[in-house]
Amino acid sequence: PRPRPLKTGLPEFQVEFSPAVQQRQLRVSAIRIDERKQRVLIGTHEPNSFTVYDAALKPLMISTISTPPAWFERRQLANGRSQLTLTMVGQLDPNDRPEGYLMTLEEAPGKGLYHSPAPIRLQFRRPVHTRWRDMDGDGLSDAVTCQFGSQHGLLSLHLTQPDGGFKDHILVPRPGAAMTQILDDDQD
C-alpha cells in the first residue's frame, strides 16, 4: 500500500476558545478535567496563573500565583470536604533550584471553587507530579513526588506525621522522574 499524507486535526473535535483565553497567549503547564464538578482546571506559565473554567469554558476563578503548577490532584479530607493539591514546579526551564513546592486549596462548599491557599511542603527540585495515598497504614495521606530536576532530581516519599509535618525518604536518587502510579499488588 502507498503511504497516505499526514493530516492534522481530528474530525470529531473542533477547537474553540473562550473570550478570556483568546485575550492572551498562554503557556499551559497543567490541565485537568474534573468530570464530577464539570470543570476544567488550567495552570499557566507567563503569566503564572491557576484558572477554573465551567463546562462552557467560562472562567469561574482566576488566581495569580508565584510559580506555574505542574499537576493537580483532589483529595477527600476526613471532614468530608475536598482539597485540591497543586504541585508547583518553581522554574519551568531545566534547573536544580529548590523552588518548587506543594500547595493546597480548600474547596468552597457547593460552588466547586477554591480558597485559602497554603503551602504544605517546600524546597523541591522542579517537582512535576505528586500522588497522595496512605503509604504506611496510619490513615494519613502521604505524598510521592517526582522531582524531575535537571542534574539532581529524585523520586521522594513524604510520610505525613500526626503533627502535619513530613518525614522524607528518597526512593530514587536520580533526576527524570515524571509520573508515578501507586498500586497495591497484594491487596493489603
Side-chain angles (χ1 to χ4, degrees):
R2 290 186 74 201
R4 292 183 278 158
L6 293 175
K7 295 181 181 178
T8 59
L10 297 170
E12 301 87 19
F13 297 95
Q14 180 177 357
V15 178
E16 294 181 17
F17 294 98
S18 74
V21 174
Q22 289 176 340
Q23 292 174 7
R24 61 184 194 260
Q25 185 175 2
L26 302 176
R27 287 179 58 188
V28 174
S29 60
I31 187 167
R32 185 159 187 116
I33 297 171
D34 184 343
E35 292 181 41
R36 186 174 58 99
K37 295 281 188 179
Q38 297 291 299
R39 305 277 191 256
V40 179
L41 313 175
I42 297 179
T44 62
H45 173 58
E46 295 177 358
N48 294 337
S49 69
F50 169 68
T51 305
V52 178
Y53 294 91
D54 67 12
L57 295 180
K58 175 185 170 198
L60 300 174
M61 178 183 128
I62 301 172
S63 297
T64 301
I65 51 181
S66 62
T67 176
W71 181 255
F72 314 115
E73 185 162 329
R74 180 185 307 283
R75 296 190 301 157
Q76 286 301 120
L77 302 176
N79 63 11
R81 296 182 74 186
S82 181
Q83 183 181 69
L84 189 69
T85 303
L86 287 72
T87 303
M88 308 299 280
V89 73
Q91 283 288 331
L92 199 56
D93 299 322
N95 73 85
D96 287 315
R97 292 185 295 269
E99 297 174 350
Y101 59 96
L102 301 179
M103 181 174 81
T104 61
L105 294 170
E106 298 294 327
E107 186 170 358
K111 296 185 179 186
L113 302 180
Y114 301 94
H115 62 91
S116 304
I120 57 170
R121 184 67 176 88
L122 304 172
Q123 298 184 328
F124 287 138
R125 289 189 170 122
R126 218 166 105 208
V128 295
H129 186 260
T130 302
R131 284 279 187 209
W132 291 87
R133 300 289 185 279
D134 181 2
M135 300 297 286
D136 57 2
D138 65 358
L140 301 172
S141 290
D142 307 305
V144 177
T145 300
C146 297
Q147 298 183 52
F148 193 87
S150 179
Q151 302 296 314
H152 302 286
L154 49 95
L155 178 64
S156 55
L157 169 63
H158 310 279
L159 298 174
T160 303
Q161 302 300 294
D163 66 0
F166 294 92
K167 184 174 181 182
D168 301 334
H169 300 273
I170 295 173
L171 301 177
V172 179
R174 291 187 303 276
M179 183 173 276
T180 59
Q181 293 294 330
I182 300 172
L183 304 172
D184 183 2
D185 288 334
D186 62 0
Q187 305 300 315
D188 66 347

